[in-house]
Amino acid sequence: MELVQRVAEGFPGQRLIVLPPAVFRRAATLPVCRDLMVTHIGAYQTAPHHFVDRPNGTKEHILIVCQGGQGACSIQNRTHRMTTGHAIVLPAGLPHKYWADENDPWKIFWVHFTGTRSRDHVTMLDLTPRNPVCWLHDLARVVEAFEETYRHALGGYTDVDLFGLSTGLSRLLGVCRLSQRALDVRRRHTEEQVLKTVHHMAANLHRPLTLTQLAAVASWSPTHYSMVFRRQLNLSPIEYLLRLKIQRACERLRTTDDLIADIAQDLGFADPFYFSRLFRRRVGSSPRVYRQTYGAKR
């Protein structure tokens, strides 16, 4: 039986940047940069026989995103399979291993990061050592954010470059969080159904949608839909819908000369006086005063 030599790096077309120690020390003194700092960043187009074993972990947190193929990570004696669209965060200080599938090796990018606020960013990703993997439904947007961050690493090591690297990483982590979905197929389907109703709301702000109508879009009962929606978004469906309508009203008041009555009607409010009272309760001023304060000067 032929033994396969497993390797940590050195793959065709790989990209890898490690910040020099002097640069890292400089970044640690800069505002914003010291909060969130990249130490290593890179990508493998394909990584046959890729294998990394760190019995003592690393000083940095590690984000790994699988763009294709398959692989796995082991942390706290639990193995997590990864395939296209999966992301994992390996917290600083925890022993871990990760490796590419032998038959379908993964394509990945990764970032090692630290900083005084780095643990806050990890916490906001809502991933734990026990459940460190999520699925990213908008992988293209995540990859775009990674490439932007990587370009900052190529620019050099001026203070401005380091600022761009830190803010680029912050955006990348934020995009990962916004794109994050559950691994479990049933939970993911539930999340997607709620999102489907949110998109329906946004496309039908001109209509006085009811809870029953929104629940029907998700193919659920109104009671179940309301419970699931509130659990995911911390608001009732109708409250969320009203917020969307008020946001659209604010936009039109700022950017157009449309009559307030017309704006109310276009947003599904048959009574402009009710719309004005609702607007005042939620914004703190009447639509007329809001326009006078924030509208474009003509």
Side-chain angles (χ1 to χ4, degrees), residues 1-116:
M1 179 178 178
E2 181 181 359
L3 295 177
V4 175
Q5 180 67 39
R6 297 192 291 186
V7 294
E9 60 178 277
F11 306 104
Q14 79 170 31
R15 294 182 287 165
L16 172 62
I17 295 175
V18 179
L19 266 66
V23 173
F24 177 77
R25 289 193 295 270
R26 172 60 181 166
T29 69
L30 299 174
V32 178
C33 298
R34 60 177 170 241
D35 294 340
L36 188 65
M37 296 181 289
V38 173
T39 62
H40 306 62
I41 183 169
Y44 296 150
Q45 288 299 308
T46 183
H49 316 308
H50 183 215
F51 180 80
V52 174
D53 183 5
R54 298 190 180 99
N56 299 313
T58 60
K59 295 180 180 179
E60 312 89 21
H61 308 289
I62 306 173
L63 168 70
I64 301 174
V65 176
C66 182
Q67 295 179 254
Q70 301 180 64
C73 294
S74 176
I75 181 173
Q76 293 188 332
N77 298 316
R78 292 169 62 91
T79 297
H80 306 273
R81 302 296 303 178
M82 295 181 63
T83 187
T84 304
H86 285 173
I88 190 169
V89 171
L90 305 173
L94 287 184
H96 58 257
K97 301 178 184 179
Y98 50 88
W99 59 93
D101 184 86
E102 287 299 314
N103 298 315
D104 186 19
W106 59 13
K107 172 184 178 181
I108 59 173
F109 70 75
W110 75 94
V111 185
H112 292 223
F113 61 96
T114 186
T116 58

Side-chain angles (χ1 to χ4, degrees), residues 179-249:
S179 184
Q180 191 174 329
R181 297 292 181 270
L183 282 178
D184 179 78
V185 174
R186 179 178 295 179
R187 284 184 58 198
R188 192 188 307 169
H189 174 72
T190 298
E191 292 174 349
E192 294 299 332
Q193 288 299 95
V194 169
L195 280 177
K196 182 179 177 181
T197 67
V198 169
H199 295 322
H200 184 76
M201 292 179 193
N204 292 275
L205 293 181
H206 60 287
R207 297 175 55 195
L209 296 172
T210 66
L211 179 62
T212 299
Q213 290 171 326
L214 292 169
V217 173
S219 301
W220 292 331
S221 71
T223 301
H224 180 70
Y225 170 63
S226 184
M227 178 189 67
V228 172
F229 193 101
R230 184 182 291 275
R231 187 169 61 217
Q232 289 195 23
L233 298 180
N234 295 318
L235 290 171
S236 71
I238 297 304
E239 175 66 21
Y240 191 92
L241 174 61
L242 288 175
R243 289 196 176 198
L244 291 180
K245 288 176 180 283
I246 295 299
Q247 288 171 4
R248 180 67 60 83

Side-chain angles (χ1 to χ4, degrees), residues 164-177:
L165 190 58
S166 291
T167 55
L169 174 59
S170 179
R171 176 174 179 264
L172 169 60
L173 296 174
V175 170
C176 285
R177 185 66 181 96

Side-chain angles (χ1 to χ4, degrees), residues 276 279-291 293-294:
S276 293
F279 189 97
R280 181 189 291 274
R281 286 202 302 270
R282 293 173 180 275
V283 178
S285 66
S286 68
R288 181 180 60 82
V289 172
Y290 182 90
R291 169 173 274 165
T293 305
Y294 300 104

